[in-house]
Amino acid sequence: MQDKLFSLPVVTQISPYLTQRQIGELPAIVVSHPKVRAAITLQGAHLIAWQPSGEKPVLWLSDKSLFAPGKAIRGGVPICWPWFGPAGEPAHGFARVQPWKLTAHDENEDGVMLTLVLESNPQTLKLWPHEFTLIARFRLGQHCEIELEAYGDFEATAALHSYFTVSDINGVEVSGLGNSYIDKVNNGEVASSDGKQRYPGRIDRIFTAAEDCSVINDTAGERQIEVYHHHHSDVVTWNPGVELSCSMTDMANEGYKTMVCVETARISKPLRSAGEKPARLATTFRLKKKAAASDNVNG
């Protein structure tokens, strides 16, 4: 799926490294730069691919995902806003299924920077009675930085719902998650942890005292993915496990084996925007080769 994104016909050449293409029924901005390949759909300002030069794809994207107006994309980095989970309809908020506008772009020898904007409109006001301006900034190169900035007068919950590609979920451990979590699989029970998470089955946990960096140790893939959390109150980790994966129409039956979600979030402490003071949520992804990171793992 990832390779197909970069061989789609070009609709518009925006700049030397940026093109607009069509993925299914959705327009997307595709980045082809000496340092990085990436793609963002205008629906949802949804980053669906990020791949530094010389590396395998970092973000997981379902082969069965629908690319249709109003339908959520399974994989990449959905922007969940202004609510997380089933707090309203649609689930995880409307930002990920609304059309955004590309308002600015820049590029240099290290990568590209994109700014996309979503503003309140009659459709969003029916779902959520607040006027707002939501800005998503992407800095894409050897590292990936995503910043969400919300203007208006309101409270909102949110998450940068990042799906990462792993070789085999049975060999994955995520560290830096803190010692307390809400177990959504077990009726919201509050439980304690050693800060590390493995995935023997379905896992859906909100860690409420996570460190500022989570590390995905992909043993079989021989690499680590560092996920830095900025302006967050929580970190969510999720894998659907075999039964839920088989029941999802936009995920292959064995899709759960090659993905893990580690999400920067504001759930237990909502974002607060007021006047000219915006609320922010941001994340940074960095790759580390396993061999170079072994001292950190064992230390």
Side-chain angles (χ1 to χ4, degrees):
M1 175 56 117
Q2 298 274 2
D3 287 337
K4 292 179 183 177
L5 299 175
F6 303 98
S7 60
L8 293 168
V10 173
V11 176
T12 305
Q13 188 77 40
I14 299 171
S15 73
Y17 301 132
L18 299 178
T19 55
Q20 182 168 321
R21 310 189 192 197
Q22 193 79 7
I23 301 173
E25 299 177 53
L26 301 181
I29 307 301
V30 174
V31 177
S32 297
H33 185 281
K35 294 287 182 71
V36 64
R37 298 200 306 177
I40 300 172
T41 60
L42 293 182
Q43 176 175 284
H46 193 137
L47 182 66
I48 57 173
W50 171 62
Q51 183 176 359
S53 180
E55 301 289 350
K56 296 177 182 178
V58 180
L59 299 178
W60 182 89
L61 183 63
S62 173
D63 290 337
K64 300 182 73 174
S65 192
L66 298 174
F67 293 96
K71 301 293 185 181
I73 298 168
R74 176 69 62 190
V77 188
I79 295 174
C80 301
W81 188 93
W83 56 80
F84 179 83
E89 288 292 337
H92 285 320
F94 52 73
R96 65 179 182 157
V97 293
Q98 282 282 314
W100 294 53
K101 293 181 180 179
L102 177 68
T103 60
H105 58 86
D106 194 10
E107 51 201 70
N108 56 35
E109 62 183 13
D110 295 320
V112 303
M113 290 151 280
L114 305 172
T115 301
L116 290 91
V117 174
L118 174 66
E119 295 181 308
S120 50
N121 57 60
Q123 186 180 7
T124 68
L125 290 169
K126 288 180 181 178
L127 299 169
W128 193 60
H130 299 281
E131 294 186 350
F132 66 86
T133 298
L134 193 60
I135 301 171
R137 297 185 180 91
F138 299 85
R139 296 175 180 85
L140 305 168
Q142 286 296 307
H143 309 314
C144 173
E145 301 176 28
I146 306 171
E147 181 183 39
L148 196 63
E149 195 171 78
Y151 288 86
D153 291 285
F154 47 76
E155 287 190 355
T157 54
L160 297 169
H161 195 317
S162 314
Y163 290 72
F164 296 98
T165 293
V166 295
S167 296
D168 182 355
I169 192 63
N170 292 317
V172 169
E173 181 180 85
V174 178
S175 60
L177 294 172
N179 57 17
S180 179
Y181 65 88
I182 299 168
D183 191 344
K184 294 175 68 180
V185 174
N186 196 19
N187 299 315
E189 177 182 307
V190 177
S192 59
S193 164
D194 63 356
K196 298 178 181 180
Q197 181 65 62
R198 298 188 72 87
Y199 300 84
R202 181 183 173 192
I203 295 292
D204 191 354
R205 295 177 176 179
I206 301 172
F207 284 83
T208 55
E211 298 175 18
D212 291 339
C213 177
S214 303
V215 179
I216 302 169
N217 186 22
D218 181 5
T219 303
E222 297 189 341
R223 71 176 180 181
Q224 289 183 336
I225 304 170
E226 297 177 336
V227 186
Y228 293 85
H229 313 289
H230 315 290
H231 313 295
H232 67 295
S233 61
D234 313 275
V235 172
V236 180
T237 188
W238 178 70
N239 181 279
V242 61
E243 292 182 4
L244 184 56
S245 187
C246 288
S247 73
M248 298 166 69
T249 58
D250 59 357
M251 182 182 279
N253 288 353
E254 296 190 346
Y256 73 97
K257 291 184 177 180
T258 55
M259 55 75 64
V260 67
C261 286
V262 179
E263 313 165 30
T264 304
R266 286 290 292 268
I267 302 167
S268 61
K269 297 178 182 177
L271 296 165
R272 290 182 173 85
S273 302
E276 294 301 311
K277 186 177 180 181
R280 290 185 173 90
L281 185 66
T283 188
T284 302
F285 310 147
R286 296 173 183 258
L287 279 180
K288 290 185 74 175
K289 296 293 187 182
K290 183 183 176 186
S294 59
D295 291 342
N296 182 48
V297 175
N298 297 327

